[in-house]
Amino acid sequence: MTDEHVYVDGDSARWAFGTGFTDPLHGVDQAVPDGVDAEDLAACCLALGDDALVSAQRLAEWCTRAPELEEELALANIGLDLLGQARLLYARAGRADGTGRGEDAYAYFRDPEDFRNVRLAELPGGDFAFTVVRLLVLSVWRLAVCETLAAAPDPVLAAIAAKSVKELAYHRRYAAEWTVRLGDGTAESASRVRAALDALAPWLDELLTDRAAARLGVDPVAVAARTRLELSHVLADAGLNRPDDVSRLDAPVPSLPGSGRDGEHTPHLAPLLAELQSVARAHPDASW
Amino acid sequence: MNNPTAAPPRPYDPEAAFENTIARDQRIEPRDWMPDAYRATLVRQIAQHAHSEIIGMQPEGEWITRAPSLRRKAILFAKVQDEAGHGLYLYSAAETLGADRTKMTERLIDGGQKYSSIFNYPTRTFADVGVIGWFVDGAAICNQVPLCRTSYGPYGRAMVRVCKEESFHQRQGYELLLTMMRGTDEQRAMVQDAVDRWWWPSLMMFGPPDDDSPNSARSMAWRIKRHSNDQLRQRFVDMTVPQAEKLGVTLPDPDLRWNEERGHHDFSAPDWDELKRVVSGDGPCNAERIARRRAAHEEGAWVRRAATAHAAKRTARLREGAAA
């Protein structure tokens, strides 16, 4: 293999894969079809896009800190999938909301109150048990939503959802397997899973009553029922099926006021975004 | 067919078979006999290489959460993930020689095994991500392309895949720098600053000069190594100079110039005392790099214990089920 001089000749714009394609939906007919409410479509894309971006950022925080190299690879893989979903959803949102904004305008130049992710996604990373249990909850829920959206009246969103389904099925499997390993493993790991369930419980109601995709054919009640059922199966496999374990996920505490879908966030989102946006905002005229 | 007049077969001589395999430029495989020193040299080199991939995730990994566009974020996230994958292939290659991944990790953490000195330098701006791709992955390619033909089979085969990915990373790094050089004055200054800081440590990646490289001759005889440190360093400089011109940056060596007679660039020697200091643990980020790796290993211990306990319980339940 002789790499010498290969970079000096030829077209510099083609040296790296993807160069020049700033629009991830390049080549796709992006017109919003008749009968689809563009505002509903944009709101749904933004909500699911923000969930994905914020989750990817939390997973990226694990980089070089995972308990084993295989987990390093898997968490990065899942983070990359979600980042990819966010990019496609932002591209769709930019067309549907009529602003023509690109993905980076959504990710880097909105303030926390303009983000529409559920608060569950923005909670600080916690330990590995918290990470896999949150991933389980979010991927079970998101998979149920995307399976329905794969038949959405907007063909672009339907295609994004269909692609996401394959990825989310893997995320769910990974998170479920680890929840079972940790729940069944040692007394310490089981108690960490219980602590994770307790920490997540107050934020579940927001997710399970979410109507972000309701106007695009997703029934929130059916999604919630399926999510609860799947979670209870995983918890049973993990040996966490005592009544007080199951009740941990049955919203035992009253749901918290406010909603991330309305831009009301915990104090944890602002520092997450400050980090994510720091370089882009320090050099607003730069090109990357 | 028996031939009573033929000489009796010579007793199998494993050492001769080993030497013969090396001389014929063929591969030594895990179950072949090999000299203890060959095995020990390979374990040392492969472990050091694996550790370099894993520690090498840190300087760039710090920028994933801050990457200034979603496209750059995806590229960087995937690159750092690739490095974890390279570490896994390499630890697996070392395991074929009887080494153990956990023990190698412990040796890394307690300082018993080394990793590439380059990863003990800090990443100060996002331009560093591009320059690391260009220089550090470029230097890694110079080092590793010949290793695809190294005499130990599993190591050579791991290198084939690693080199393909490193080549991709180098192009991505260079492409980031090209984009930045087409940006603002501030961005061009960031790129030049990163080039100034990474040039000398990159030259040091090839190791000490040939007259001060104690292990090289034997590794060359065993065809583990195929080119000397100085040959590889020269190749890197010759490859990089035209790329720097195209990019529009200045390499920080006033004595760097083309030598018509040699057909190579002349260049200054890096500060070898600095290399010794960094290798011996006194670089800008040595303590921080090891502390991070140690924390991940120690904080992850309960997870690994849980996985082991679950696997044992599961096996026991399956046995009980089968017996019932």
Side-chain angles (χ1 to χ4, degrees), chain B residues 141-156:
Chain B
I141 290 165
C142 289
N143 268 329
Q144 292 169 7
V145 166
L147 286 176
C148 295
R149 295 189 298 125
T150 193
S151 61
Y152 187 58
Y155 190 28

Side-chain angles (χ1 to χ4, degrees), chain B:
Chain B
M1 214 161 55
N2 284 332
N3 181 348
T5 60
R10 278 184 301 169
Y12 178 66
D13 178 350
E15 192 162 0
F18 172 83
E19 296 294 350
N20 190 26
T21 304
I22 299 280
R24 285 183 297 131
D25 235 351
Q26 293 191 342
R27 305 273 199 174
I28 305 296
E29 294 298 338
R31 299 169 86 170
D32 294 344
W33 183 90
M34 63 188 84
D36 290 345
Y38 176 86
R39 186 184 299 272
T41 299
L42 275 167
V43 168
R44 182 179 60 82
Q45 180 171 337
I46 299 173
Q48 182 167 324
H49 196 160
H51 297 330
S52 299
E53 297 284 357
I54 299 307
I55 297 291
M57 296 167 68
Q58 290 184 31
E60 288 182 280
E62 288 173 25
W63 290 90
I64 296 173
T65 55
R66 292 178 284 169
S69 75
L70 294 185
R71 177 169 168 268
R72 292 294 171 198
K73 197 181 189 74
I75 289 173
L76 183 58
F77 208 171
K79 178 192 171 176
V80 174
Q81 184 196 32
D82 282 349
E83 288 166 1
H86 297 172
L88 263 182
Y89 307 149
L90 286 161
Y91 284 126
S92 302
E95 286 185 325
T96 67
L97 293 158
D100 173 87
R101 200 210 299 183
T102 306
K103 290 207 177 78
M104 287 185 273
T105 299
E106 285 163 2
R107 300 273 336 259
L108 166 67
I109 289 168
D110 68 24
Q113 287 174 346
K114 304 285 187 200
Y115 56 91
S116 179
S117 57
I118 191 82
F119 301 117
N120 290 315
Y121 291 86
T123 42
R124 299 207 187 284
T125 73
F126 198 72
D128 289 36
V129 168
V131 172
I132 288 176
W134 177 31
F135 283 173
V136 177
D137 288 272
I141 290 165
C142 289
N143 268 329
Q144 292 169 7
V145 166
L147 286 176
C148 295
R149 295 189 298 125
T150 193
S151 61
Y152 187 58
Y155 190 28
R157 288 187 288 272
M159 280 302 106
V160 173
R161 182 160 177 185
V162 168
C163 281
K164 284 182 189 166
E165 294 181 353
E166 302 282 22
S167 173
F168 194 62
H169 299 163
Q170 195 207 13
R171 286 156 204 244
Q172 289 176 321
Y174 192 75
E175 189 265 339
L176 167 60
L177 298 178
L178 278 173
T179 308
M180 291 184 71
M181 292 300 283
R182 288 195 291 258
T184 62
D185 288 344
E186 197 183 5
Q187 285 186 289
R188 281 184 283 277
M190 280 166 76
V191 173
Q192 183 62 55
D193 169 64
V195 165
D196 292 347
R197 284 182 288 109
W198 288 95
W199 175 248
W200 298 110
S202 299
L203 290 184
M204 294 177 201
M205 278 180 73
F206 298 93
D210 291 350
D211 52 18
D212 188 25
S213 181
N215 297 318
S216 282
R218 196 168 59 175
S219 283
M220 301 266 276
W222 277 332
R223 298 195 185 172
I224 296 173
K225 272 181 86 156
R226 289 176 171 269
H227 303 283
S228 77
N229 295 354
D230 287 336
Q231 284 170 335
L232 293 167
R233 195 165 9 248
Q234 181 72 60
R235 180 176 294 186
F236 171 73
V237 172
D238 289 342
M239 178 178 100
T240 306
V241 167
Q243 294 169 0
E245 284 165 9
K246 168 99 183 168
L247 189 59
V249 296
T250 307
L251 299 173
D253 179 358
D255 296 326
L256 178 67
R257 61 179 60 87
W258 178 252
N259 181 327
E260 192 67 51
E261 207 174 302
R262 290 202 306 124
H264 291 291
H265 292 86
D266 292 336
F267 59 98
S268 307
D271 178 353
W272 297 123
D273 290 337
E274 178 179 322
L275 177 63
K276 280 180 188 154
R277 281 197 304 277
V278 177
V279 169
S280 67
D282 197 18
C285 302
N286 296 56
E288 181 185 332
R289 300 290 185 240
I290 292 295
R292 168 76 64 81
R293 188 71 195 92
R294 179 193 298 278
H297 187 65
E298 291 176 356
E299 286 164 20
W302 71 268
V303 177
R304 297 189 297 274
R305 272 197 303 275
T308 308
H310 166 70
K313 285 184 189 177
R314 194 163 170 269
T315 307
R317 282 195 294 264
L318 288 173
R319 278 210 194 104
E320 277 168 30

Side-chain angles (χ1 to χ4, degrees), chain A residues 59 71 74-75 78 82 128-141 143 167-184 193 196-197 200 230-231 233-235 237-238 240, chain B residues 310:
Chain A
L59 289 166
E71 275 39 74
L75 295 173
I78 295 167
L82 291 168
F128 188 70
F130 182 86
T131 294
V132 297
V133 176
R134 170 165 60 184
L135 182 63
L136 177 68
V137 171
L138 285 174
S139 51
V140 164
W141 177 85
L143 180 60
E167 297 168 348
L168 293 162
Y170 165 72
H171 306 175
R172 177 183 63 175
R173 187 176 126 191
Y174 176 82
E177 284 176 356
W178 267 111
T179 302
V180 169
R181 276 186 204 114
L182 298 180
D184 182 56
V193 174
L197 291 169
L200 291 166
E230 287 194 20
L231 292 177
H233 286 161
V234 175
L235 292 186
D237 286 347
L240 295 168
Chain B
H310 166 70

Side-chain angles (χ1 to χ4, degrees), chain A residues 31-223:
Chain A
V32 177
D34 292 343
V36 174
D37 184 304
E39 204 176 316
D40 290 341
L41 176 62
C44 175
C45 290
L46 199 58
L48 294 178
D50 286 348
D51 285 348
L53 179 66
V54 170
S55 298
Q57 184 77 355
R58 286 295 183 216
L59 289 166
E61 291 170 356
W62 273 100
C63 181
T64 73
R65 293 175 169 88
E68 189 57 283
L69 284 181
E70 284 80 355
E71 275 39 74
E72 194 73 65
L73 285 161
L75 295 173
N77 216 37
I78 295 167
L80 277 163
D81 284 346
L82 291 168
L83 181 56
Q85 291 176 20
R87 296 178 68 186
L88 292 166
L89 288 162
Y90 288 151
R92 190 63 186 139
R95 182 63 188 248
D97 70 11
T99 60
R101 279 179 287 180
E103 57 184 27
D104 289 338
Y106 288 101
Y108 293 96
F109 296 97
R110 282 183 303 150
D111 292 332
E113 62 272 20
D114 299 323
F115 272 73
R116 293 291 178 264
N117 58 284
V118 290
R119 289 170 295 179
L120 183 67
E122 73 202 34
L123 299 176
D127 65 5
F128 188 70
F130 182 86
T131 294
V132 297
V133 176
R134 170 165 60 184
L135 182 63
L136 177 68
V137 171
L138 285 174
S139 51
V140 164
W141 177 85
R142 193 173 174 88
L143 180 60
V145 170
C146 284
E147 278 183 354
T148 310
L149 285 180
D154 176 51
V156 178
L157 177 59
I160 297 169
K163 173 184 183 289
S164 305
V165 162
K166 291 181 197 158
E167 297 168 348
L168 293 162
Y170 165 72
H171 306 175
R172 177 183 63 175
R173 187 176 126 191
Y174 176 82
E177 284 176 356
W178 267 111
T179 302
V180 169
R181 276 186 204 114
L182 298 180
D184 182 56
T186 62
E188 180 185 7
S189 65
S191 94
R192 285 178 184 257
V193 174
R194 289 198 174 91
L197 291 169
D198 288 341
L200 291 166
W203 308 99
L204 277 179
D205 195 53
E206 180 185 355
L207 187 72
L208 296 179
T209 57
D210 179 52
R211 302 187 55 81
R215 288 174 185 237
L216 294 159
V218 176
D219 174 7
V221 177
V223 167

Side-chain angles (χ1 to χ4, degrees), chain A residues 233-257:
Chain A
H233 286 161
V234 175
L235 292 186
D237 286 347
L240 295 168
N241 48 356
R242 300 194 318 236
D244 58 323
D245 289 324
V246 175
S247 74
R248 282 183 157 88
L249 281 183
D250 283 336
V253 284
S255 59
L256 297 167

